[in-house]
Amino acid sequence: MATYAVVQVDVSNPEEYAKYAELAGPAVAKYGGEFLARGGEVEVMEGTTRARCVLIKFPDMETAKAFYHGPEYQEALSYALPASTRDYKFVEGI
């Protein structure tokens, strides 16, 4: 069953975050992920959000977790975590 990464980000250091973005894209592709939304305009209808929203589709939960914990994405995170505040979750599709 498809699994979606729902990511909301506020970037505090754009230069460092750019290093993350350079590494994250190839890591997503390696694990069969597909970007469905990546930083486009957001209009909040209820609740709150962060400045940047990303939606990634993975083949299944196991692959999504393998991606997140894999060495490629962990290297990317070493740039993202100090340079941003993030909410990152996986949701199974229906």
Side-chain angles (χ1 to χ4, degrees), residues 11 13-24 79 83:
V11 176
N13 184 331
E15 294 80 23
E16 284 298 300
Y17 202 79
K19 296 174 187 176
Y20 159 79
E22 187 176 313
L23 295 170
Y79 296 102

Side-chain angles (χ1 to χ4, degrees), residues 7-94:
V7 188
Q8 296 179 303
V9 183
D10 287 328
V11 176
S12 57
N13 184 331
E15 294 80 23
E16 284 298 300
Y17 202 79
K19 296 174 187 176
Y20 159 79
E22 187 176 313
L23 295 170
V28 167
K30 178 178 178 178
Y31 288 85
E34 174 187 2
F35 286 100
L36 302 178
R38 192 175 191 184
E41 182 180 344
V42 175
E43 187 168 330
V44 177
M45 305 310 281
E46 296 181 26
T48 62
T49 191
R50 296 191 182 276
R52 182 173 173 80
C53 295
V54 179
L55 181 63
I56 308 167
K57 180 181 179 181
F58 288 96
D60 52 51
M61 184 66 78
E62 294 75 27
T63 303
K65 289 179 182 179
F67 151 77
Y68 188 88
H69 295 293
E72 302 86 1
Y73 193 65
Q74 289 299 304
E75 180 183 359
L77 277 180
S78 72
Y79 296 102
L81 294 178
S84 63
T85 303
R86 302 155 45 92
D87 298 310
Y88 202 119
K89 56 198 71 85
F90 292 128
V91 179
E92 280 189 331
I94 54 171

